[in-house]
């Protein structure tokens, strides 16, 4: 119950107009702060309900793959510039974002991650890292403005931020795998 309150509280705080508008003023605010925090709210909710949903998960989310696919497709949708523009231009898409990001990205990730094999988790991390880099390169090097609501300068900053995050994730993944993993195997 406590995690449900925290999750709902996060979504409500993020939907307060001054906070929402402040985050949506820049592409970095929307794509690297607002959307991940909404997904985190769903993740917290999923952790809180994982025990109660155990019978359902064993039947419909075996090995975590169905939930992971749902996360993948919902995440791809919210990375598209057209989706970002739609959420800024139409209240219905803004509402859809506040519902789908927690419930279709964070929530199923929390329910699926523990069921995934270590190799699959490594594969997911490798794809996340490469996706961040490719999206960063795409945003930073596009000759045209991709989102109508943001200037090309903001698009360039977002692209560089995506690439910087991918390098940081790659280094941390490398360190965790080779240094911490090697230490645990000895």
């Amino acid at each position: 119950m406590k995690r449900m309150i925290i999750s709902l509280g996060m979504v409500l705080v993020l939907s307060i107009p001054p906070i929402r508008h402040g985050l949506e003023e820049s592409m970095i605010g929307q794509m690297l702060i607002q959307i991940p925090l909404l997904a985190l709210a769903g993740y917290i909710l999923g952790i809180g309900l994982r025990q109660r949903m155990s019978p359902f998960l064993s039947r419909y989310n075996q090995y975590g793959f169905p939930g992971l696919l749902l996360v993948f497709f919902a995440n791809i949708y919210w990375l598209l510039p057209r989706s970002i523009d739609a959420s800024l231009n139409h209240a219905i898409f803004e509402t859809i974002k506040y519902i789908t990001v927690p419930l279709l990205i964070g929530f199923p990730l929390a329910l699926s991650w523990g069921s995934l094999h270590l190799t699959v988790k490594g594969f997911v991390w490798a794809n996340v890292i490469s996706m961040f880099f490719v999206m960063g390169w795409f945003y930073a090097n596009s000759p045209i403005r991709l989102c109508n609501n943001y200037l090309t300068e903001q698009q360039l900053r977002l692209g560089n931020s995506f690439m910087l995050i991918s390098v940081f994730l790659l280094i941390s993944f490398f360190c965790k795998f080779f240094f911490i993993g090697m230490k645990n195997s000895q």
Side-chain angles (χ1 to χ4, degrees):
M1 187 67 177
K2 181 181 176 184
R3 290 193 173 147
M4 288 174 37
I5 293 170
I6 292 170
S7 176
L8 184 59
M10 285 178 68
V11 173
L12 290 175
V13 166
L14 288 169
S15 67
I16 296 172
I19 294 172
R20 189 180 80 230
H21 294 305
L23 290 172
E24 291 174 349
E25 282 181 357
S26 72
M27 287 182 87
I28 289 176
Q30 183 170 21
M31 295 186 74
L32 293 181
I33 299 172
Q34 183 187 48
I35 290 176
L37 285 175
L38 287 169
L40 178 62
Y43 189 86
I44 291 169
L45 178 65
I47 289 173
L49 294 177
R50 188 175 13 200
Q51 192 70 24
R52 290 182 189 163
M53 296 189 69
S54 184
F56 174 81
L57 294 176
S58 64
R59 179 182 249 174
Y60 296 107
N61 196 22
Q62 194 171 19
Y63 305 115
F65 289 122
L68 191 62
L69 282 174
L70 184 61
V71 170
F72 174 76
F73 287 115
N75 192 38
I76 292 296
Y77 177 80
W78 286 111
L79 280 175
L80 295 173
R82 183 177 182 124
S83 305
I84 298 301
D85 272 340
S87 73
L88 294 172
N89 295 333
H90 308 289
I92 187 72
F93 283 102
E94 181 84 18
T95 304
I96 290 170
K97 177 176 69 176
Y98 273 81
I99 293 170
T100 60
V101 171
L103 295 180
L104 298 181
I105 296 175
F107 186 74
L109 184 62
L111 298 179
S112 301
W113 191 254
S115 302
L116 296 173
H117 188 271
L118 185 62
T119 306
V120 176
K121 288 180 181 179
F123 179 77
V124 169
W125 273 113
N127 279 300
V128 166
I129 292 167
S130 63
M131 182 182 64
F132 263 84
F133 190 82
V134 168
M135 288 303 298
W137 183 87
F138 176 66
Y139 276 109
N141 293 303
S142 178
I144 59 170
R145 191 169 81 176
L146 298 172
C147 288
N148 293 331
N149 292 295
Y150 297 113
L151 300 173
T152 52
E153 177 185 319
Q154 290 183 7
Q155 181 176 303
L156 178 64
R157 278 193 223 141
L158 176 68
N160 290 335
S161 298
F162 268 141
M163 288 189 285
L164 185 65
I165 289 169
S166 71
V167 169
F168 173 75
L169 288 173
L170 181 63
I171 291 169
S172 64
F173 186 73
F174 178 81
C175 290
K176 181 179 180 184
F177 182 75
F178 284 105
F179 297 119
I180 296 171
M182 298 284 249
K183 189 185 291 185
N184 291 339
S185 66
Q186 293 177 350

